Amino acid sequence: MSLTILWFRRDLRLSDHPALVAAAGRGAVLPVFIHDDSVAGLGAAAKWRLGEGLRVFAAALEAVGSRLILRRGPAREVLEELVRESGADAVYWSRLYDPQAIERDTRVKTALRDGGAQAESFAGHLIFEPWEVETQQGGPYKVYSPFWRAVKDREVDDTLATPKLNAPSRWPESDRLEDWALGAAMRRGAEVLAAHCSPGEQAAQARLGGFAAHGLDAYKERRDFPAEDATSGMSEYLTYGEISPRALWHTALRGEASGKAGAEHFRKEVVWREFAYHLMYHTPRLLDGNWREEWDGFGWKDARGGAVRRWRQGRTGVPFVDAALREMYVTGRMHNRARMIVASYLTKHMLVDWRVGCDWFADCLTDWDPASNAMGWQWVAGSGPDAAPYFRVFNPGTQAEKFDPDGSYRRRWIAEGEARPTKTALSYFDAVPESWGLTPDDVYPEPVVGLSEGREAALKAYETFKAE
Ligand SMILES: Cc1cc2nc3c(=O)[nH]c(=O)nc-3n(C[C@H](O)[C@H](O)[C@H](O)COP(=O)(O)OP(=O)(O)OC[C@H]3O[C@@H](n4cnc5c(N)ncnc54)[C@H](O)[C@@H]3O)c2cc1C
């Protein structure tokens, strides 16, 4: 019987998994996860969340009579060794699209094929492969709306059922997940974060089912209110591939067919993620360089001072901004509206380079995604394609009046000055490093940059930049 190694990466699921279906169709399957440089380089929260995902995924495989073999080292060497050890004649995986992954996977594919094994990559992380969506002139899209119009009526294949997995005749040795200590960089924050996290495919499907039944209809109206649980919560499941984007697409389509008002808007948001990958694939500098290269000359302020530290710590003195940054520290996620506001405050009021914030998000988010994060930051800063114009400076005060009118989001996350602080606000002080020296009895600070003063400084900096 043929044996296929299934190299799992960001696709920790059994259903709607084209590579797994293909592998199961040709014989026995040997599931493997490799701790290589791409894992070593993850931010603290993302790495911890990966560990949680792997723990649940390994148990899901055991429940169907399979196993997850864990190995550490450069992917090519590990896979070549496993092919030799197990006698596998093929290695399959789901494609990734960031430049490092593409480079690694290309080398792995060549080496395996040179060694006589079959090596194939499959779709699954996206609904539309980045090269399958083209403008009429034959190039990539740079603006979201035409991208959406180009894909919205496309036929998308149905999701695939979980295949039956045949075990290899002998299981190779595996590392122990605990020995990888993926939560080590979290220090004491891991316990707090764990209370807000339900990893795994089953949890993802249950959450999506609940959202389809109770949240989809009102999604468009309520999705901007950060105190409400009005969005799907799918981002971290998509990040680790615990659910497929295609499952979200079809959930939305079924909602549209049954007249759910918010369903099309939900599908549009799912397509924003596709657009981010499209941009990253065609212009990889999206990740760490200004997409609009003229922004290389913008005069950002020095980011080393105490102001950035206060932004990171959620101590800017601007309640909506601080609430959002604390939400991220405690839960590993941040509401989309709040992401835009904290990013705007950092890049505009504080005039700090978007990459400083992008890196902090990469360290703190459990749904960290290279493409969506970089696109989001560049969109807010004004340096990205299809970006918000620079002169659009979010005012956290008026945003709070509009989207947190009764202050419940801010009270949920800010303890200082409250006679009876909420449990979630207090949990922030349990999560942060002791070295920050913060307590709920601290005096809530004055704004690090005043709202109108910051807005004027941002506009002036932009005028100077434009004139140069
Ligand atoms: C500065 C900034 C940084 C961001 N960083 C990330 C990140 O690291 N990882 C990440 O997944 N998203 C990121 N986003 C996008 C967005 O904030 C999150 O996807 C969203 O908050 C996740 O919540 P949800 O799953 O409940 O979303 P829903 O509103 O339920 O949307 C459904 C899905 O659509 C996709 N989506 C929605 N909005 C966006 C968007 N603006 N861009 C791309 N995809 C979107 C996501 O996959 C999401 O899970 C960022 C946005 C900004 C402004």
Side-chain angles (χ1 to χ4, degrees):
M1 182 162 63
S2 293
L3 173 62
T4 309
I5 293 175
L6 204 307
W7 177 21
F8 284 96
R9 297 104 62 89
R10 287 182 170 255
D11 49 350
L12 305 182
R13 64 177 181 273
L14 297 175
S15 67
D16 199 25
H17 196 306
L20 189 61
V21 169
R26 62 189 297 283
V29 179
L30 173 51
V32 175
F33 184 90
I34 301 171
H35 185 322
D36 68 355
D37 284 351
S38 69
V39 172
L42 287 173
K47 201 185 282 183
W48 170 82
R49 176 62 176 78
L50 170 66
E52 295 299 290
L54 288 172
R55 182 174 52 75
V56 174
F57 186 55
L61 280 167
E62 302 237 344
V64 295
S66 185
R67 284 188 198 175
L68 184 62
I69 301 301
L70 305 175
R71 291 283 174 101
R72 190 169 188 150
R76 183 175 62 79
E77 288 169 29
V78 170
L79 288 168
E80 284 177 337
E81 195 175 304
L82 266 176
V83 165
R84 270 196 304 277
E85 264 177 51
S86 66
D89 57 349
V91 183
Y92 287 1
W93 62 84
S94 310
R95 242 165 257 137
L96 291 174
Y97 306 87
D98 57 286
Q100 284 86 4
I102 291 174
E103 207 253 328
R104 174 196 61 192
D105 296 352
T106 309
R107 273 189 289 113
V108 167
K109 197 178 262 182
T110 309
L112 289 170
R113 285 181 180 170
D114 287 351
Q118 225 197 81
E120 297 295 340
S121 62
F122 291 78
H125 197 57
L126 295 177
I127 305 169
F128 306 106
E129 295 296 89
W131 49 88
E132 285 175 356
V133 189
E134 282 188 337
T135 62
Q136 279 177 351
Q137 293 72 40
Y141 282 93
K142 297 173 186 166
V143 178
Y144 170 78
S145 301
F147 181 86
W148 160 250
R149 285 196 295 276
V151 300
K152 74 185 180 60
D153 298 320
R154 287 196 182 184
E155 284 290 320
V156 171
D157 288 345
D158 250 332
T159 53
L160 299 166
T162 302
K164 180 176 163 10
L165 297 184
N166 288 313
S169 52
R170 201 180 61 79
W171 287 103
E173 295 275 300
S174 170
D175 289 358
R176 283 165 14 122
L177 186 58
E178 307 83 82
D179 294 341
W180 284 1
L182 293 171
M186 289 291 295
R187 297 178 296 260
R188 61 197 191 126
E191 218 176 288
V192 177
L193 211 57
H196 297 273
C197 172
S198 321
E201 185 173 5
Q202 268 189 12
Q205 286 174 354
R207 169 93 201 176
L208 183 61
F211 174 73
H214 310 294
L216 196 53
D217 202 17
Y219 174 75
K220 189 174 175 197
E221 274 162 47
R222 307 311 305 168
R223 61 183 285 272
D224 273 313
F225 293 86
E228 296 182 22
D229 187 15
T231 66
S232 71
M234 285 296 112
S235 53
E236 69 174 288
Y237 297 116
L238 288 166
T239 289
Y240 300 95
E242 292 164 344
I243 200 144
S244 70
R246 194 155 67 170
L248 272 59
W249 173 275
H250 286 297
T251 298
L253 277 186
R254 283 191 294 275
E256 286 170 45
S258 62
K260 296 220 154 113
E264 189 187 49
H265 201 86
F266 178 63
R267 196 155 59 93
K268 275 187 172 162
E269 293 302 324
V270 173
V271 167
W272 267 106
R273 176 177 175 274
E274 301 285 317
F275 182 56
Y277 273 83
H278 184 81
L279 291 177
M280 176 180 70
Y281 178 79
H282 290 290
T283 324
R285 76 164 183 282
L286 174 78
L287 296 178
D288 51 10
N290 293 306
W291 195 89
R292 292 175 190 276
E293 280 165 322
E294 66 272 22
W295 273 79
D296 291 354
F298 189 78
W300 302 112
K301 282 200 177 152
D302 187 347
R304 283 170 302 184
V308 171
R309 188 173 66 242
R310 280 179 55 185
W311 180 88
R312 288 196 183 107
Q313 294 182 342
R315 299 259 308 156
T316 64
V318 180
F320 203 164
V321 172
D322 292 343
L325 288 159
R326 293 176 190 204
E327 177 188 22
M328 175 166 70
Y329 212 86
V330 170
T331 68
R333 295 182 307 274
M334 189 196 288
H335 191 275
N336 181 58
R337 170 98 353 219
R339 290 186 209 218
M340 293 192 284
I341 290 163
V342 303
S344 174
Y345 189 74
L346 185 75
T347 56
K348 299 196 173 165
H349 287 86
M350 294 172 64
L351 282 169
V352 170
D353 192 327
W354 61 268
R355 282 162 283 216
V356 172
C358 195
D359 288 351
W360 185 242
F361 272 29
D363 205 38
C364 297
L365 284 173
T366 49
D367 71 0
W368 174 73
D369 177 279
S372 299
N373 193 33
M375 179 186 73
W377 275 94
Q378 296 225 46
W379 182 85
V380 175
S383 60
D386 199 10
Y390 191 83
F391 52 80
R392 191 175 297 153
V393 180
F394 283 89
N395 178 330
T398 47
Q399 290 281 312
E401 279 165 27
K402 203 163 164 198
F403 298 112
D404 186 31
D406 65 357
S408 46
Y409 181 64
R410 282 160 287 168
R411 267 195 312 283
R412 185 180 298 163
W413 294 113
I414 297 179
E416 296 96 317
E418 293 285 335
R420 283 204 315 231
T422 62
K423 242 169 76 184
T424 46
L426 291 172
S427 69
Y428 173 71
F429 297 91
D430 297 328
V432 299
E434 273 163 357
S435 61
W436 287 9
L438 302 179
T439 76
D441 300 325
D442 294 341
V443 175
Y444 188 66
E446 289 299 313
V448 72
V449 179
L451 297 188
S452 45
E453 171 204 340
R455 180 187 158 79
E456 272 157 38
L459 294 179
K460 206 162 141 214
Y462 182 59
E463 285 305 319
T464 315
F465 166 61
K466 251 192 358 190
E468 275 168 6

